[in-house]
Amino acid sequence: MAGRIKIVAGNWKMNKTSPEAVKLARGLIVNIGRLEHPRVILCPPYTALSELANILKDSNIYIGAQNMYAAESGAFTGEIAPSMLLTIGVTYVILGHSERREYFSETDTIVNDKIKLALKSGLIPIVCVGEKLEQREEGQTEEVVAGQIDGSLAGLSADDMDEVVIAYEPIWAIGTGKTATPEMAQEVHRFVRDRLKAGFGETAEKVPILYGGSVKPENAAGLFSQPDIDGGLVGGASLKVEDFAKIVKSV
Ligand code: 13P
């Protein structure tokens, strides 16, 4: 669609020590560090953010964190505030990933608080939604995704939505090798965009909606050619220079 930016983000999850992360980032700079399109974002673990932000500052590659806490500072042992991310050169933050929702009990309310503070601080949230296998099989995909969209984005304005990226990640496709077909994914992406339109009006046409869940070099082009799929949030395949570079180039 007109004017919507394309994005490929790599979510490295809990992988790569700092030296390993530096090696991977350097490999990516050589391969895709000068590309103007799509926008490429690397989301390494916290421990590698600062070093990677330095290495990448003269490239076209952006840095994202995988999470943050919904407070500016204080007695929250083990947590990271948005200002800490911003001051080391982080631009994006993944919020509400299904692994955070499942293993760390993050609810839509918690995700909503984080999104609001991220926006207030100047970070761009990449907000994840997606259904479980049982929910899809029971025909509840739209209901589940609508609930996550409405709950996570509650209280935001249309202007806020100018600075939000959505990622649709069906949980049954994450790390399983089972990808949604381009048509299946497009159907949900269209639904998400319509839901955004109902809440925020025409701004919805500008919100990038990324697909995540077993994106590989072999299936990326098919997914990215769909009208409402504006790129990908890539897990496993983002850990290999060649695979990630191929995915980026297939946009
Ligand atoms: P995989 O690409 O490994 O399926 O992971 C997807 C994901 O969760 C990205 O956030």
Side-chain angles (χ1 to χ4, degrees), residues 32 44 53 57 71 74 114 117 122 131 136 139 150 198 200 203 208 219 223-224 228 250:
I32 51 173
K57 69 174 182 290
K114 292 186 176 189
L117 186 60
E131 81 287 2
R136 173 160 284 263
D150 296 354
F200 304 101
T203 313
N219 59 27
L223 287 160
F224 299 163
D228 288 289
S250 68

Side-chain angles (χ1 to χ4, degrees), residues 103-235:
Y103 307 134
F104 304 96
S105 310
E106 284 196 13
T107 60
D108 287 327
T109 309
I110 294 173
V111 176
N112 182 241
D113 285 344
K114 292 186 176 189
I115 294 170
K116 285 178 176 161
L117 186 60
L119 288 168
K120 186 172 162 227
S121 309
L123 286 169
I124 303 175
I126 302 174
V127 182
C128 303
V129 298
E131 81 287 2
K132 295 181 183 160
L133 183 60
E134 315 84 85
Q135 294 167 328
R136 173 160 284 263
E137 287 175 345
E138 282 165 30
Q140 297 167 346
T141 300
E142 292 192 351
E143 187 188 326
V144 169
V145 170
Q148 291 170 334
I149 290 280
D150 296 354
S152 304
L153 304 178
L156 267 60
S157 67
D159 279 354
D160 288 332
M161 289 308 292
D162 262 345
E163 300 295 331
V164 171
V165 176
I166 305 284
Y168 167 60
E169 300 204 310
I171 297 172
W172 48 270
I174 296 179
T176 57
K178 286 187 204 151
T179 328
T181 63
E183 294 72 23
M184 276 159 89
Q186 164 59 23
E187 205 178 307
V188 184
H189 280 233
R190 186 68 239 170
F191 174 79
V192 169
R193 196 171 311 284
D194 286 343
R195 193 84 188 176
L196 295 177
K197 223 179 248 180
F200 304 101
E202 283 309 307
T203 313
E205 286 296 342
K206 290 192 266 169
V207 177
I209 307 177
L210 314 182
Y211 170 80
S214 297
V215 176
K216 309 276 177 236
E218 303 77 51
N219 59 27
L223 287 160
F224 299 163
S225 65
Q226 295 294 318
D228 288 289
I229 302 184
D230 305 308
L233 181 54
V234 185

Side-chain angles (χ1 to χ4, degrees), residues 8-10 12 24-36 38-43 52-53 55-64 89 91-92 244 248:
V8 177
W12 294 4
L24 178 51
R26 288 201 195 283
L28 291 170
I29 290 173
V30 172
N31 279 270
I32 51 173
R34 295 273 157 253
L35 288 189
E36 303 248 338
R39 175 157 301 186
V40 177
I41 307 166
L42 305 184
C43 306
L52 259 54
I55 292 176
L56 295 168
K57 69 174 182 290
D58 297 321
S59 76
N60 284 337
I61 301 177
Y62 288 72
I63 282 281
T91 307
Y92 290 86
F244 192 63
V248 167

